[in-house]
Each structure stands twice: as structure tokens, then as C-alpha cells.
Amino acid sequence: MPLTETEWDLVTTWVRNYLLDTTDPHTQLAQYGFPPEFIGALRLTHVSTDNARTLVHHSRTDIQRQLRLVEAVTTIDRLAVLPDIVKAQEFLDRLREDFRAHAAQDTFRTCVLKNGTEAFIDRQDLRETLRRFLVDPHKFVLLVDGEPGSGRSYTYSFLRHIGQHSGFRPVRVTLSRTATAAKVVRRLADFVAGPQAGTAPLNPTELNDLLPSIDEAAHWVAGRATAVEERFWLVLDECDKLDPSSDVWDFIGQLATAIYEHAAVRVDQAPRLVLLGYGRSMRQLPYDLRGNLSWDTARIVEPGDLRHFFDQVFHEAPPEILGTGQPRESAIAELVEVAVHEVLQATGTNGASGADREGYMRKLCTAAEGAVRVYRSL
């Protein structure tokens, strides 16, 4: 299970207080087994707070580095005698489990995320689209369409899961009717500016000529995201909530173009752009990008999708009530039908239409997660 932002903040505090509270941080890191080439790439100073942020920031670029960092933290003598060591060991166990899953499983087929606590049901097309999207150097804009409440925003949860195992970090800005380009730029700048750069004072409304200012802001965001070592996927969620006259539409087009231009120079390091709730009838992206787009359409989960979900769950981790050895297919099939019936009963069979659709999808996922917990405890 990936660590949350709050948990990474706690790791940063431990690094600052117990690992890099020294006048010679490079030597200290070498003593804890960090590779020389990794240490040499770090811009460390005499300020332990800045050094801690830099080390954590660079370590989060892939799961192996995350594991190495937290392993080092758990070996610090000063931390080992404190109650926080229990939490540090928990973080280490979770990252080790993630690393094992990364090595042994097809992460694109995972149906239970976050250490077995979050259901991700169906979306078979999305899984395969992401598999292709990730390795295709010519695709860098992913657009997810679908009816409201069909799980478009929930795509972000799966991006976090895939990113943990594939070396990228998705960062999300949720849009609204009152969103402006200036607000979106500031939010993205918080993510891509780096641990020491701070947020750039970009405000498109300060200039008389609005569009050139938005273009400059878009190139700044794309440039910063390309320059840092960490690979970013920039996620703009709920695009369908934008006001038709919002300047965010202009910014989206300019940002996609800026990424297109950076990708031509640094393909692997240029960010990807993900637009959730971006319908095919909405404002079109620039014509030059037509060959660089990937599309997915979310839809409401149906009983057949639930059956496929529980069938995979029970085959991958058979409940103990089935006994040891190879479980019988008929026994699993029976459990699947019972679980599907219970989930549909808990959510209501008529909830997947009308104004209550979004609430229905949330209830369905919650009920499915509850069923998984119950059957794993039997």
C-alpha cells in the first residue's frame, strides 16, 4: 500500500531529525548504504529541513528508492528507541508488500488496491489502455469520458496504484465552475516546483493580453515538470464542471501543447496529461495533438462486472472456509453469487439511474470492500 502524503511528511520529519541532522549529509547517507551516484545527484546544504525534503523527494521517484529510504530510517539508533519506530516498521512492511506485488503480479489487473482495502471494479478497457499508454512514447494525453457518477474520478485511485509500481506520480487538481487558469496554475506549481523552488507567482489575470500569459504559464508548468527527476502525470479532474467560458479551457489546450513540445526533446521525462470527465463533445484539443491522445469511457458497474470482480478476488485469495488445497470451482462460484447478491442488496437495485447515480457507485464500492473483508475473515 503506498504511503499517503501525510505519512511521507512523517518520514520527512524522521529524516530531518535523526538521519540528516548533521553538518556532513553526504557522508551520513553513504554510511547508511545509499549509492554514490544517487548521493551525488542530491543538492544538499547545511539546512537539515531542506536536505530532508530533497532526499524524500528524490526517493519517491520509484518503489525501490522508497523502500531503500524507509529501510535506512528503521535502522537509525536514535529512532529505534522511540515509539515512532513502530510506525516506521509498519511503513516498511507496507512498502515491502508493494514491492513483492510489483515483482510477482500484473499490477494492471489488480482489483483490490491499497493493501487489500479498496475495490477497483471492472474498467477492463481502462486497464489495457493504461498498459499501452504507459509504454507508447507518442501518447501523452489520456482523456476519460463517461456519464456523471460512472467512476471517472475514481480513475485517479488506479493511477496512484499504477504509478507506485511504474515510476510516475499522478498529481490531481479538481476543477469546478469557479475554477480559473490562475488557480489551476498555482495548484500545479505546488506539485511540480520541487521541494526548494517554492511556488512561482504566476497570475494570468495580471496581464492585459490573457492568452499569451496562459501560454507562458502552461510552458512554465510543463518545463518544471520535465526538469525535475520525478516523473509527473498531471491530472485535471471533473472537467465537465467547468464553466463554458472559463479560461481553464484555454490553459488545458496550451498545457497539452507545451507537453507536446517538451516530449519532442525529453520523451521519457516529459509529464503526461490526464483529463477526467472530458467528453468528446467538449472543446477540442489542438489539432496537432490528434495522434497523441488516448481515450477511455467509464460506465456504471453492472452485476456481471461484480461477478468478475469477486471471481478474481476469491481465486487470488481463497477464503479459509474453502479449506486447504486447490479450491473447487463450484464452491468459488457459489461464494461469488452470494457476494454479488449481498452487495446488490446493500446498494439497492434501482440506484444506478437518475440523480442518485453517483451515490450508488460509492455505495456499491463500499459494499464490495465490506464483502471482501468479511470473506477474508472467515
Side-chain angles (χ1 to χ4, degrees):
M1 173 182 175
L3 303 189
T4 65
E5 292 300 320
T6 300
E7 290 168 338
W8 278 117
D9 288 342
L10 184 56
V11 172
T12 304
T13 300
W14 293 334
V15 170
R16 180 195 65 201
N17 293 343
Y18 309 119
L19 180 62
L20 293 181
D21 185 19
T22 173
T23 57
D24 190 359
H26 290 92
T27 299
Q28 180 83 335
L29 291 177
Q31 291 175 352
Y32 276 87
F34 289 87
E37 63 275 9
F38 175 77
I39 298 173
L42 300 176
R43 295 181 180 179
L44 303 180
T45 67
H46 63 283
V47 182
S48 60
T49 298
D50 292 342
N51 292 341
R53 290 174 180 167
T54 298
L55 176 61
V56 172
H57 178 76
H58 282 261
S59 295
R60 290 183 63 180
T61 55
D62 65 53
I63 190 170
Q64 287 184 302
R65 288 184 176 182
Q66 293 175 25
L67 187 57
R68 182 178 62 207
L69 172 63
V70 179
E71 283 178 338
V73 168
T74 60
T75 64
I76 301 173
D77 291 338
R78 293 168 62 191
L79 181 62
V81 298
L82 300 176
D84 274 358
I85 191 62
V86 176
K87 182 65 69 174
Q89 287 288 356
E90 176 196 328
F91 293 173
L92 180 58
D93 290 342
R94 283 163 49 187
L95 289 176
R96 282 174 173 168
E97 181 60 31
D98 262 9
F99 183 76
R100 283 193 293 269
H102 173 62
Q105 299 178 5
D106 181 355
T107 54
F108 290 93
R109 309 307 297 173
T110 305
C111 62
V112 183
L113 315 180
K114 292 186 178 179
N115 203 28
T117 62
E118 180 179 356
F120 194 80
I121 303 170
D122 193 55
R123 303 299 293 276
Q124 302 304 318
D125 290 342
L126 172 69
R127 297 169 189 271
E128 295 309 313
T129 296
L130 280 174
R131 191 194 301 274
R132 296 188 298 269
F133 183 73
L134 188 65
V135 299
D136 190 341
H138 303 294
K139 302 289 186 182
F140 50 81
V141 182
L142 174 65
L143 305 100
V144 178
D145 193 7
E147 297 180 7
S150 59
R152 300 171 308 183
S153 295
Y154 201 47
T155 304
Y156 180 67
S157 297
F158 197 67
L159 293 180
R160 284 174 59 91
H161 167 74
I162 295 298
Q164 174 76 358
H165 300 283
S166 301
F168 70 86
R169 181 177 165 218
V171 294
R172 177 172 63 172
V173 176
T174 301
L175 306 176
S176 67
R177 191 169 183 81
T178 59
T180 65
K183 292 178 181 178
V184 175
V185 169
R186 284 196 294 268
R187 291 292 303 277
L188 290 175
D190 289 338
F191 293 121
V192 304
Q196 297 175 343
T199 300
L202 296 172
N203 185 355
T205 62
E206 290 180 350
L207 300 180
N208 293 328
D209 198 350
L210 182 60
L211 291 182
S213 178
I214 292 178
D215 173 65
E216 195 71 25
H219 276 273
W220 184 90
V221 170
R224 287 301 308 169
T226 302
V228 296
E229 182 178 359
E230 191 169 12
R231 293 173 59 205
F232 281 106
W233 285 25
L234 310 178
V235 182
L236 300 182
D237 193 4
E238 298 192 0
C239 294
D240 58 328
K241 299 289 180 65
L242 284 173
D243 187 286
S245 62
S246 173
D247 60 356
V248 177
W249 294 111
D250 296 313
F251 174 71
I252 290 173
Q254 296 286 2
L255 179 59
T257 300
I259 292 174
Y260 170 76
E261 294 171 355
H262 280 82
V265 180
R266 298 185 63 189
V267 176
D268 292 336
Q269 197 58 32
R272 303 289 183 93
L273 179 62
V274 180
L275 304 174
L276 304 181
Y278 201 101
R280 295 176 185 268
S281 62
M282 295 180 184
R283 187 181 304 193
Q284 297 295 298
L285 293 175
Y287 182 76
D288 288 346
L289 306 180
R290 63 193 183 282
N292 307 110
L293 311 180
S294 290
W295 284 90
D296 176 70
T297 301
R299 61 178 178 80
I300 297 292
V301 169
E302 298 177 347
D305 304 319
L306 277 176
R307 288 188 181 90
H308 183 274
F309 169 79
F310 282 113
D311 183 75
Q312 181 177 343
V313 169
F314 293 151
H315 273 92
E316 291 179 349
E320 292 186 7
I321 58 173
L322 294 176
T324 59
Q326 185 70 23
R328 293 180 301 172
E329 289 299 317
S330 59
I332 288 184
E334 184 177 348
L335 283 183
V336 168
E337 290 303 319
V338 172
V340 170
H341 176 74
E342 290 174 345
V343 169
L344 292 178
Q345 284 288 104
T347 57
T349 57
N350 297 321
S353 61
D356 205 25
R357 181 184 289 116
E358 187 169 356
Y360 169 81
M361 289 294 291
R362 289 183 180 141
K363 288 190 293 183
L364 186 141
C365 288
T366 300
E369 290 158 5
V372 171
R373 289 193 298 270
V374 168
Y375 284 99
R376 285 183 173 177
S377 67
L378 295 178

